[in-house]
Amino acid sequence: MPDVSTEEGIRDRAMLELMYAAGLRVSELVTLKKAEVDIHAGVVNCHGKGNKERRVPVGKSAIHWLQQYASVKAAYGQSPYANLFLHRGKPLTRQLAWTMIKTHAEKIGLHNVSPHTLRHSFATHLLQHGADSRSVQALLGHSDISTTQIYTHITDRHLRTAYDNHHPRARVAANAIEPKKSAAD
C-alpha cells in the first residue's frame, strides 16, 4: 500500500517486505545497520533479544525493495554503521514503525495488524509450506522450541483442512467418528 513514487513510500515498502521476508521484530528492524544487510548474498544479520545475532536469508522481493531504497537513500551518503531505516535523517523509532504498519494495513481494510503480525505470518507460512519447527526456531531466533510451537496450531488446522479436502477416505472417517443421531435428536 505504500506510495512507491515517494522516497518515504519506497522506505516503507522496503521495511514491510523485509519484516515479512525475515520475520524481524520491530526492534530488530529499527536498529538494523546498513552493514548488516548483504543484498548480494540475500542475507540479513540481525540482533534479537539478549543481543543474540542470527543470519536470515531474504527473498527476491525484499532484496528488490531494499535496492530501491538504497538507490534513493544513496544521496544521504550515510555510514555503513548507521541505521538502515531513517525518518527525516534520524533513526526510525519503534513507535513510528508501528504506526506506519497500522496505517498501511488500514488503507487496505486490515485492522488489528501490528509489526508482530508480519513475524507471525512469516513463521506460519514457513510451517504451512513444509519447513520444520527447528529451522523456523533458528530463523526467528527463539532459544526454546516451545516458543516456536505457538505457531503450529495454525499449521495443524491447515493440515486438517488439506486432509479433509484431499484424502479419499477423509469424509468417511469423519462420518464414522460422529455419533449417529437418533430420531429424538
Side-chain angles (χ1 to χ4, degrees), residues 3-80:
D3 177 6
V4 294
S5 67
T6 68
E7 288 184 16
E8 187 177 271
I10 292 171
R11 178 206 64 200
D12 291 358
R13 180 70 186 263
M15 288 171 47
L16 290 166
E17 291 282 349
L18 184 59
M19 285 185 77
Y20 171 69
L24 298 180
R25 295 175 180 94
V26 70
S27 58
E28 294 168 342
L29 177 81
V30 299
T31 59
L32 194 64
K33 308 292 184 224
K34 185 177 179 182
E36 295 171 327
V37 178
D38 186 342
I39 289 177
H40 301 293
V43 175
V44 173
N45 292 321
C46 62
H47 299 274
K49 290 182 178 180
N51 206 28
K52 289 187 296 187
E53 185 177 342
R54 70 182 191 281
R55 291 176 53 86
V56 183
V58 294
K60 292 177 187 174
S61 184
I63 294 297
H64 168 77
W65 287 105
L66 286 168
Q67 288 171 327
Q68 297 302 309
Y69 178 58
S71 68
V72 298
K73 202 176 72 161
Y76 300 131
Q78 170 183 18
S79 159

Side-chain angles (χ1 to χ4, degrees), residues 155-175 177:
T155 303
D156 291 343
R157 203 172 342 157
H158 177 76
L159 290 173
R160 178 85 240 176
T161 301
Y163 178 84
D164 289 345
N165 289 336
H166 301 290
H167 193 282
R169 297 187 186 263
R171 296 195 200 310
V172 173
N175 291 338
I177 294 171

